Amino acid sequence: KYNQGLEFQQDENFYAASQYYLEVVKDNPAFTEAWYKLAECSYKLGEFDLALQYLENAEKYERNNTKIQNLKGMVYVSLGQIEEAQKIFNDILKKAPNDIDAHFGLAEIELYEGRFSGAEDEYMEALRRQNTNRKALLSLALVYAERGNFNQANANLRQALSYYSGEAEVHYLASIIYSIEGDYITAEKQARIAVEVNSNYDKAYDMLSTVLY
């Protein structure tokens, strides 16, 4: 059941994945990873209060798990509880300065508060620690594109595409970035590649509609 949940989650069918994970924790309430995956799915679906409940269940069995703490911080950001989120990320970095997800969390706070340069610094910090990190490369590309620095955006984007050309999400985000730049031909191409890689990737179809019409 857990593996079936993983398959549905990989395809971004978060509702179906959640049903399998719920069956898992019903059979084994101490299965921390299943609680964490339930929280991930709820977070993706925008069900933030529910995500917090699942994370609290996970914490009963693994209180000091930084993965759980990082997701909890991201949920707090989404709920607008910035002080709580910032404390979580800073506490993690005091113990583990190289924790990339905590840097991403602080970057999200900077973006939430409209400080693009601060977000850029945190993404760069993450990239220094792992220079092929997909999320850091794509997030930086988005930040640069939003700020009109298209040369730097394209440099990061090319890196991400060279490392992760087989991932639909990368091409989808590339489509968004090219669309921001006004290059709708390349944006359409990237959205079509995303669909070819994963025919169930609904967001890529939405992006195609946007750039075509």
Side-chain angles (χ1 to χ4, degrees), residues 55-72:
L55 287 169
E56 284 164 9
N57 280 323
E59 283 180 309
K60 290 177 186 175
Y61 307 104
E62 289 190 43
R63 181 158 295 278
N64 296 316
N65 186 318
T66 55
K67 183 169 71 172
I68 294 169
Q69 291 302 310
N70 272 315
L71 182 55
K72 193 173 185 181

Side-chain angles (χ1 to χ4, degrees), residues 12 167-176 187-212:
E12 299 202 4
E167 297 187 22
E169 185 185 29
V170 175
H171 293 285
Y172 163 71
L173 290 170
S175 179
I176 290 176
E188 178 192 345
K189 178 185 175 184
Q190 289 299 324
R192 289 190 185 281
I193 293 172
V195 171
E196 287 173 16
V197 173
N198 182 355
S199 60
N200 296 317
Y201 202 77
D202 293 338
K203 288 190 289 189
Y205 287 105
D206 294 340
M207 193 63 203
L208 266 176
S209 299
T210 301
V211 296
L212 288 173

Side-chain angles (χ1 to χ4, degrees), residues 44-213:
K44 290 289 189 180
L45 292 167
E47 297 171 346
F48 304 123
D49 289 324
L50 188 57
L52 273 182
Q53 288 178 36
Y54 291 142
L55 287 169
E56 284 164 9
N57 280 323
E59 283 180 309
K60 290 177 186 175
Y61 307 104
E62 289 190 43
R63 181 158 295 278
N64 296 316
N65 186 318
T66 55
K67 183 169 71 172
I68 294 169
Q69 291 302 310
N70 272 315
L71 182 55
K72 193 173 185 181
M74 294 300 287
V75 173
Y76 278 136
V77 172
S78 298
L79 289 169
Q81 297 178 30
I82 301 304
E83 284 185 19
E84 292 91 332
Q86 198 154 26
K87 183 178 185 309
I88 287 174
F89 298 132
N90 285 330
D91 285 348
I92 290 170
L93 289 171
K94 282 176 190 173
K95 298 172 188 172
N98 291 324
D99 191 295
I100 290 173
D101 288 330
H103 283 292
F104 287 145
L106 290 176
E108 289 296 318
I109 291 174
E110 294 292 322
L111 289 176
Y112 182 89
E113 297 187 337
R115 296 191 294 264
F116 286 97
S117 60
E120 181 186 329
D121 290 343
E122 291 296 341
Y123 289 134
M124 286 297 294
E125 204 59 43
L127 206 56
R128 274 194 284 272
R129 285 162 169 76
Q130 191 181 87
N131 63 7
T132 62
N133 187 280
R134 183 187 70 168
K135 185 175 179 180
L137 287 168
L138 290 168
S139 297
L140 269 172
L142 277 167
V143 168
Y144 286 134
E146 292 285 358
R147 298 178 74 189
N149 186 349
F150 298 133
N151 285 338
Q152 192 60 55
N154 288 337
N156 285 105
L157 189 53
R158 282 193 297 272
Q159 263 189 289
L161 288 168
S162 69
Y163 294 134
Y164 306 102
S165 60
E167 297 187 22
E169 185 185 29
V170 175
H171 293 285
Y172 163 71
L173 290 170
S175 179
I176 290 176
I177 293 165
Y178 283 121
S179 179
I180 292 170
E181 295 183 14
D183 184 352
Y184 297 109
I185 293 173
T186 310
E188 178 192 345
K189 178 185 175 184
Q190 289 299 324
R192 289 190 185 281
I193 293 172
V195 171
E196 287 173 16
V197 173
N198 182 355
S199 60
N200 296 317
Y201 202 77
D202 293 338
K203 288 190 289 189
Y205 287 105
D206 294 340
M207 193 63 203
L208 266 176
S209 299
T210 301
V211 296
L212 288 173
Y213 306 106

